[in-house]
Amino acid sequence: MINPQTLKGFRDFLPQEARKRQFVINTLKSVFELYGFEPLETPALEYEEILAGKYGDEGDQLMYRFIDRGGRKIAMRYDQTVPLARVVAQYQNASTGSAQSLPMPFKRYQIQSVWRAENTQKGRYREFLQCDADIVGVDSKLADAETIATAAKGLETLGFNNFTIYINDRRVFSELTANNLITEEEMRVAVVAIDKLKKIGELGVIDELNSKGLSVGRAREILRLIKEREKTDVIRDIDSYLDSLPELKKKCKFDPTLARGLNYYTGVIFEIEVEGYSAGSVCGGGRYDNLIGMFTNLQIPAVGFAFGFDRLIEAMDELNLFPSEIALSTTQVLVSVFAEELKNKSLEIVTKLRDENIPSEMYLGEIKEKNPLEKQLKYADQKQIPYVVILGPDEAEKNILTLKDLNTREQTQMTLDEIVKKFKV
Amino acid sequence: MINPQTLKGFRDFLPQEARKRQFVINTLKSVFELYGFEPLETPALEYEEILAGKYGDEGDQLMYRFIDRGGRKIAMRYDQTVPLARVVAQYQNASTGSAQSLPMPFKRYQIQSVWRAENTQKGRYREFLQCDADIVGVDSKLADAETIATAAKGLETLGFNNFTIYINDRRVFSELTANNLITEEEMRVAVVAIDKLKKIGELGVIDELNSKGLSVGRAREILRLIKEREKTDVIRDIDSYLDSLPELKKKCKFDPTLARGLNYYTGVIFEIEVEGYSAGSVCGGGRYDNLIGMFTNLQIPAVGFAFGFDRLIEAMDELNLFPSEIALSTTQVLVSVFAEELKNKSLEIVTKLRDENIPSEMYLGEIKEKNPLEKQLKYADQKQIPYVVILGPDEAEKNILTLKDLNTREQTQMTLDEIVKKFKV
């Protein structure tokens, strides 16, 4: 007998969990579309050469790769940014107006799984959903501001009220090296260490820099130099756009120590932290003007962000932001079956409810002669179905139905039309 | 330079195509939920032993398989039925009421990609979406009827009006062998040949049987024996349930020559053909009572069906069932930007529209001094955005906006509140 199990780091989503995921996906999609982003889907498998070498040594290590039966070197989707770069290169020059051309600026969102052979640990999986929105083809501070506004609206629509958007500009670091205040080499280790400031504190950062060969005094000096930096022109421009969005502006905070690990960012960077959820930021992004052009000889500017999907779900669970299980469960009514000979009548009732667009189902299991409803009510409870329609011999004789509210356990006699009226929105 | 290309048999879905897919997925989901099916997601990767040997020699041949860095033998999802069987085995015995237990009967739908290294040809891909709904745990003709009703409702909701549901019972074949009218060996080849009856005609079937070693006379006899079979008891039972669904019953047709290739079916089988679309059936399913128990020692009955997602899209395209591109495109309004100094004002307008839940975007590209709107109107046309809000110096002075209808090219002066009222649903 084969043991029924999933691979380490891979998950099944049973209905209760799948519904929550659907709720978050649908909410974010609607926000992305409200802001003019369009959907894009790319394949799970790509030629290995498309993905290899794009994510550093770690990425090459963690990428799922194999050779197919045709001898092709294949890799599984590792993120959604490199495939976006491929798409932009592949279709950008298609003649305008054809089905296969991209409008520029190209605002796309993409919500697909990616695969990484990570060491599994709490909250880290080998298959997980990425949830990206990017604006490709414009080097505009307005696009930067739009990106931040979209991310914030996504969180608000999911029900998050208190969050902070930490904003920085990569030029904070590059100006310090350009001015010879910090060497390139020092900055490389400083960016990695300072990225952990919120987690390990200033002393932790200084320790780490020290362990990388800098003296404690120099480490302190570097930290001070970064912390003292003032807003760059880019940040000031974004600020002036945010004057038109005062509610959003209140949530934004310039933070010269925000580093973000990925070294492909070239301009504004941001991360969003939710109050009351301590596992880390739920959203991050920034401008990366040198990445999308990797498959062309062109420089193609881009700015975008990604939600940490699993973290969003965890934060919403912790802060109780999901609608109740009953609200997430779509089925409103279970039409029970009292006896074999009443099946057709029950089928007519459930058909009427469905024709009126009321999500409902009919009990399909075996009908016990003794206590026929017991198991059916239990089934409704287990599936979080809030109401049961009962059509027993009494009801059939009187041409009426009984509606049982499983929450209050109250029963009311009603006609089918009255039941339809009650549930119809 | 790396050539930006996708693997043979794999597809990108750019926004125009992705929107159509979303439309079909959302419609089918809503129907599945209307009928009480719940969502399930399973991983893209499974232990090879879970999938290997479950799909015959062809399946083992076409399955994407590899060894991961941990030395595990891995296979990519090949269909959604074997993973369903694993899920039922894995969670069925979990204590009732825990987050990880399945209600029985378990009605689940699943819409995920599968991968098969097929020979690519028109309409056949190596990555494609499967769209399944199944009822597990009950051996009930009512469940058979519900399955057929769900499939039909899915098609109707997508806009298909004229389709035929061909229904048969696998017992039509097994009774013929049980009665020694056709040998087991003859039936094996007969089922394969008769499956192609609609495509190759009776003469084609007889030819094929002849080529498999049967005499032409015997082949004719076998075809006649099958064609003459009458409805089984199961079909009669389903028929009697369909009496309660007269509109559906009109579309159903008993067809003793319907075979369906897969040999795992044990009872009712059905296929749906759409009038005016000749590439084949768009939906098929049936009862398979010996498959779901493969990972347990139990017999677990099941009935279900799958839509051919790519065929659905093709049929909808051919029959013109998709809403217009403009209706599928969600963005209603492009707020144009006439000049740098008007950017903040435009940002306020687009924010107001979004706050009122009107999907809209602001032009983010460079603003040309000469003819600033030309490129922006072209962008709106390309993205199928039906309206453009114009705020030029004239409008700014008069504190009014111009709304341009890109379909009629008409322009109307309106206040922002009037524009909101026009688009708000």
Side-chain angles (χ1 to χ4, degrees):
Chain A
M1 210 92 221
I2 291 161
N3 184 19
Q5 59 176 340
T6 47
L7 288 156
K8 200 169 67 159
F10 289 80
R11 294 168 288 173
D12 291 316
F13 298 103
L14 302 191
Q16 210 172 331
E17 207 54 37
R19 270 197 287 261
K20 283 185 185 173
R21 291 164 62 85
Q22 287 303 323
F23 176 82
V24 175
I25 291 170
N26 292 340
T27 304
L28 294 180
K29 270 187 186 169
S30 71
V31 170
F32 291 150
E33 294 184 355
L34 185 64
Y35 278 67
F37 290 85
E38 301 184 286
L40 175 71
E41 296 175 49
T42 66
L45 302 181
E46 298 266 2
Y47 280 105
E48 186 194 45
E49 63 170 9
I50 298 282
L51 307 188
K54 308 300 188 305
Y55 307 101
D57 289 346
E58 201 196 314
D60 283 344
Q61 201 66 33
L62 301 183
M63 198 178 292
Y64 281 94
R65 302 196 252 188
F66 60 96
I67 293 175
D68 79 0
R69 278 171 202 249
R72 296 174 201 85
K73 289 183 169 179
I74 309 273
M76 293 181 76
R77 192 167 48 228
Y78 187 84
D79 82 343
Q80 302 185 121
T81 307
V82 175
L84 172 62
R86 179 189 51 71
V87 162
V88 169
Q90 195 167 334
Y91 304 100
Q92 195 202 186
N93 296 320
S95 65
T96 306
S98 94
Q100 298 287 47
S101 74
L102 300 178
M104 280 289 162
F106 181 44
K107 294 174 75 172
R108 84 89 176 78
Y109 71 87
Q110 197 168 347
I111 305 177
Q112 295 187 278
S113 292
V114 300
W115 296 274
R116 297 180 184 181
E118 300 265 11
N119 282 324
T120 54
Q121 55 183 61
K122 190 185 172 300
R124 189 179 281 181
Y125 305 98
R126 292 183 170 176
E127 174 178 58
F128 57 97
L129 210 61
Q130 281 203 335
C131 202
D132 293 14
D134 296 84
I135 304 173
V136 173
V138 278
D139 172 18
S140 141
K141 271 68 91 181
L142 192 56
D144 297 346
E146 274 262 295
T147 307
I148 294 167
T150 308
K153 183 76 165 195
L155 292 178
E156 278 163 18
T157 311
L158 286 171
F160 294 99
N161 290 314
N162 299 311
F163 55 86
T164 305
I165 305 165
Y166 294 97
I167 301 183
N168 195 12
D169 180 358
R170 272 296 177 106
R171 291 175 194 84
V172 156
F173 309 121
S174 56
E175 283 171 7
L176 282 167
T177 53
N179 296 345
N180 293 320
L181 292 166
I182 300 179
T183 69
E184 295 268 357
E185 185 48 40
E186 285 172 331
M187 189 56 89
R188 227 186 317 275
V189 289
V191 164
V192 174
I194 215 166
D195 203 28
K196 305 174 194 155
L197 181 62
K198 288 209 181 64
K199 235 183 277 175
I200 61 178
E202 293 200 5
L203 289 179
V205 171
I206 289 163
D207 272 359
E208 178 163 331
L209 289 176
N210 187 230
S211 80
K212 299 282 175 192
L214 276 70
S215 73
V216 169
R218 182 60 184 155
R220 282 220 178 95
E221 172 73 3
I222 287 172
L223 188 55
R224 187 186 61 77
L225 281 167
I226 293 173
K227 280 176 65 185
E228 278 179 359
R229 293 301 291 184
E230 291 186 355
K231 292 182 178 180
T232 60
D233 288 347
V234 167
I235 299 286
R236 271 182 236 284
D237 280 351
I238 293 172
D239 262 1
S240 80
Y241 289 127
L242 294 182
D243 284 338
S244 299
L245 307 167
E247 284 308 307
L248 176 60
K249 193 168 186 175
K250 277 186 220 156
K251 293 185 153 71
C252 292
K253 193 166 182 289
F254 172 64
D255 176 3
T257 69
L258 176 71
R260 290 195 54 69
L262 287 166
N263 52 24
Y264 62 60
Y265 289 114
T266 56
V268 64
I269 49 180
F270 66 95
E271 271 184 19
I272 308 185
E273 297 204 359
V274 165
E275 206 171 295
Y277 175 69
S278 57
S281 80
V282 295
C283 180
R287 176 165 285 285
Y288 52 102
D289 287 344
N290 300 325
L291 193 69
I292 293 295
M294 66 171 87
F295 297 109
T296 62
N297 280 317
L298 306 166
Q299 209 216 20
I300 301 173
V303 61
F305 67 94
F307 286 109
F309 189 77
D310 288 307
R311 283 197 184 163
L312 274 185
I313 300 244
E314 194 178 71
M316 288 181 68
D317 269 333
E318 284 186 16
L319 300 178
N320 249 316
L321 297 183
F322 279 110
S324 71
E325 278 177 19
I326 284 188
L328 280 175
S329 161
T330 46
T331 305
Q332 292 301 301
V333 180
L334 175 71
V335 177
S336 63
V337 183
F338 204 87
E340 276 304 316
E341 63 274 19
L342 289 167
K343 270 190 181 170
N344 269 65
K345 188 74 194 143
S346 290
L347 188 54
E348 281 161 33
I349 294 165
V350 76
T351 302
K352 169 75 175 165
L353 293 173
R354 289 163 173 172
D355 284 347
E356 298 287 348
N357 228 15
I358 299 161
S360 41
E361 59 176 299
M362 175 171 177
Y363 188 70
L364 297 172
E366 214 188 317
I367 312 306
K368 300 247 157 76
E369 269 189 50
K370 212 178 134 186
N371 251 337
L373 292 186
E374 193 185 358
K375 210 173 151 194
Q376 303 187 36
L377 293 174
K378 212 171 135 190
Y379 173 80
D381 274 334
Q382 199 189 352
K383 277 193 77 171
Q384 312 271 6
I385 302 172
Y387 291 91
V388 175
V389 166
I390 299 166
L391 169 73
D394 285 1
E395 285 88 353
E397 201 182 313
K398 286 193 249 164
N399 204 17
I400 193 100
L401 299 170
T402 296
L403 184 71
K404 186 178 178 92
D405 180 335
L406 288 189
N407 190 27
T408 63
R409 308 316 264 194
E410 268 170 33
Q411 303 198 154
T412 322
Q413 293 213 323
M414 293 170 94
T415 65
L416 181 52
D417 284 343
E418 285 167 346
I419 292 175
V420 166
K421 207 173 280 171
K422 178 179 168 75
F423 288 99
K424 204 161 165 148
V425 278
Chain B
M1 209 94 219
I2 292 162
N3 184 17
Q5 59 176 339
T6 47
L7 288 156
K8 200 169 68 160
F10 290 79
R11 295 168 287 176
D12 291 315
F13 297 103
L14 302 191
Q16 210 172 331
E17 208 54 38
R19 270 196 288 261
K20 283 185 185 173
R21 290 165 63 86
Q22 287 303 322
F23 176 81
V24 175
I25 291 170
N26 292 341
T27 304
L28 294 180
K29 271 187 185 170
S30 71
V31 170
F32 291 150
E33 294 183 356
L34 185 64
Y35 278 66
F37 290 85
E38 301 184 287
L40 174 71
E41 295 175 50
T42 65
L45 302 181
E46 299 266 3
Y47 280 106
E48 186 194 45
E49 63 171 9
I50 298 283
L51 307 188
K54 309 300 189 301
Y55 307 101
D57 289 346
E58 197 194 86
D60 284 344
Q61 201 66 32
L62 301 184
M63 197 179 292
Y64 281 94
R65 303 196 252 188
F66 60 96
I67 294 175
D68 77 1
R69 277 170 203 249
R72 295 174 202 86
K73 288 183 171 179
I74 308 274
M76 292 181 76
R77 192 167 49 228
Y78 188 83
D79 82 343
Q80 302 185 121
T81 307
V82 175
L84 172 62
R86 178 188 52 70
V87 162
V88 169
Q90 195 167 334
Y91 305 100
Q92 190 201 18
N93 296 319
S95 65
T96 305
S98 94
Q100 297 287 48
S101 73
L102 299 178
M104 278 292 161
F106 181 45
K107 295 174 73 171
R108 82 90 175 79
Y109 71 87
Q110 196 168 349
I111 304 176
Q112 295 187 277
S113 293
V114 301
W115 296 274
R116 298 181 185 180
E118 300 264 12
N119 282 325
T120 54
Q121 54 184 62
K122 189 185 171 302
R124 188 178 282 181
Y125 305 99
R126 294 184 170 176
E127 174 178 58
F128 56 96
L129 210 61
Q130 280 203 336
C131 203
D132 293 15
D134 295 84
I135 303 174
V136 173
V138 281
D139 172 16
S140 142
K141 271 68 91 181
L142 192 57
D144 296 347
E146 275 262 294
T147 307
I148 294 168
T150 308
K153 183 74 163 196
L155 291 179
E156 278 163 17
T157 311
L158 286 172
F160 293 99
N161 291 312
N162 299 311
F163 54 86
T164 305
I165 305 166
Y166 295 96
I167 302 183
N168 195 13
D169 179 359
R170 271 297 176 107
R171 291 175 194 84
V172 156
F173 308 122
S174 55
E175 283 171 6
L176 282 167
T177 53
N179 297 344
N180 294 318
L181 291 166
I182 299 179
T183 69
E184 295 268 359
E185 186 46 39
E186 286 172 330
M187 189 55 89
R188 227 186 316 276
V189 288
V191 163
V192 173
I194 215 166
D195 202 27
K196 305 173 194 156
L197 181 61
K198 287 209 182 64
K199 235 184 276 174
I200 63 179
E202 294 201 3
L203 289 179
V205 171
I206 289 163
D207 272 359
E208 179 163 331
L209 288 177
N210 187 231
S211 79
K212 298 283 175 194
L214 276 69
S215 73
V216 170
R218 181 60 185 155
R220 282 220 179 96
E221 172 73 3
I222 287 172
L223 188 55
R224 187 185 61 79
L225 282 166
I226 292 173
K227 279 176 66 183
E228 279 179 359
R229 295 299 292 182
E230 290 185 356
K231 292 182 178 180
T232 60
D233 290 348
V234 167
I235 299 285
R236 273 183 235 285
D237 280 352
I238 293 173
D239 261 2
S240 81
Y241 289 127
L242 295 182
D243 284 338
S244 298
L245 307 166
E247 284 308 309
L248 177 61
K249 192 167 186 174
K250 275 186 221 158
K251 294 185 153 71
C252 293
K253 194 167 182 291
F254 172 64
D255 177 2
T257 68
L258 176 71
R260 292 197 50 73
L262 288 166
N263 52 24
Y264 63 61
Y265 289 112
T266 56
V268 65
I269 49 180
F270 67 96
E271 271 183 18
I272 308 184
E273 299 205 358
V274 164
E275 205 171 297
Y277 175 69
S278 57
S281 79
V282 295
C283 180
R287 175 164 286 286
Y288 51 102
D289 286 344
N290 300 324
L291 193 70
I292 293 295
M294 66 171 88
F295 297 109
T296 63
N297 281 316
L298 306 166
Q299 210 216 18
I300 301 172
V303 59
F305 67 94
F307 286 109
F309 189 77
D310 288 309
R311 282 197 184 164
L312 275 186
I313 301 243
E314 193 178 71
M316 289 180 69
D317 268 334
E318 283 186 15
L319 300 177
N320 249 315
L321 297 183
F322 280 110
S324 70
E325 278 177 19
I326 283 187
L328 280 174
S329 161
T330 47
T331 305
Q332 292 301 300
V333 180
L334 175 72
V335 178
S336 63
V337 182
F338 204 87
E340 276 304 318
E341 63 275 17
L342 288 167
K343 270 189 179 170
N344 270 66
K345 188 73 196 145
S346 290
L347 188 54
E348 281 160 35
I349 293 165
V350 77
T351 302
K352 168 76 175 164
L353 293 172
R354 289 164 174 172
D355 285 346
E356 297 287 350
N357 227 17
I358 300 160
S360 41
E361 59 176 297
M362 176 171 176
Y363 188 70
L364 298 171
E366 214 186 317
I367 312 306
K368 301 246 158 78
E369 268 188 50
K370 212 180 137 186
N371 252 337
L373 293 186
E374 193 184 0
K375 212 173 150 194
Q376 304 187 35
L377 293 174
K378 213 170 133 189
Y379 172 81
D381 275 332
Q382 200 190 352
K383 277 192 77 171
Q384 311 272 6
I385 302 172
Y387 291 90
V388 175
V389 166
I390 299 165
L391 169 76
D394 284 1
E395 285 88 353
E397 200 182 316
K398 286 193 249 164
N399 204 17
I400 194 100
L401 298 170
T402 296
L403 183 72
K404 187 179 180 91
D405 180 335
L406 287 190
N407 191 27
T408 63
R409 305 320 263 193
E410 268 171 34
Q411 303 197 154
T412 323
Q413 293 212 324
M414 294 171 96
T415 65
L416 181 53
D417 284 343
E418 286 167 346
I419 292 175
V420 166
K421 205 174 282 171
K422 178 179 169 70
F423 288 100
K424 201 159 169 153
V425 278

